[in-house]
Amino acid sequence: ASLIHHQDPEVLTDALWALSYLAHGGEKTRIQAVLDAGVLPRVVELLLHSSPQVQTPALRCVGNITSGDNAQTQAVLDQSALQVLHAMLAHSKKSIQKE
């Protein structure tokens, strides 16, 4: 969980992909483990990172968390992620919009 606070974009990218893979597939127990690690506020913050290489796995991670139960989805909404996600629909990179 501490790597998510690193400043190096490559480290952030790898840490975010790891979290994304943990939360993949709607497995509620694994999604809850990601939430219990306390990283969600930072993941949402990283949606606004200047690098699309960081934004993409952050976006995938948020999407994977919302595939869980209602409480897990609400945890994402409680971080004001909806406003950030809405802004990402106008992102200059089509791959971010698609994600």
Side-chain angles (χ1 to χ4, degrees):
S2 64
L3 292 177
I4 201 77
H5 297 285
H6 205 281
Q7 296 304 311
D8 183 327
E10 288 186 36
V11 173
L12 288 172
T13 298
D14 289 344
L16 286 164
W17 278 121
L19 290 169
S20 173
Y21 296 142
L22 283 172
H24 179 70
E27 172 56 48
K28 294 176 183 127
T29 305
R30 292 184 359 204
I31 292 170
Q32 194 59 49
V34 171
L35 293 173
D36 290 346
V39 297
L40 184 57
R42 178 68 172 153
V43 171
V44 172
E45 178 184 324
L46 290 171
L47 289 170
L48 299 172
H49 195 276
S50 61
S51 171
Q53 284 72 29
V54 173
Q55 291 174 324
T56 299
L59 189 54
R60 181 73 59 90
C61 188
V62 167
N64 287 348
I65 291 170
T66 61
S67 72
D69 62 27
N70 289 341
Q72 292 165 334
T73 299
Q74 188 62 50
V76 172
L77 297 175
D78 290 346
Q79 295 300 316
S80 300
L82 199 55
Q83 293 83 348
V84 177
L85 294 171
H86 183 265
M88 294 186 90
L89 290 173
H91 197 282
S92 61
K93 291 193 74 74
K94 293 289 184 197
S95 62
I96 295 287
Q97 292 176 10
K98 181 181 173 189
E99 189 72 37

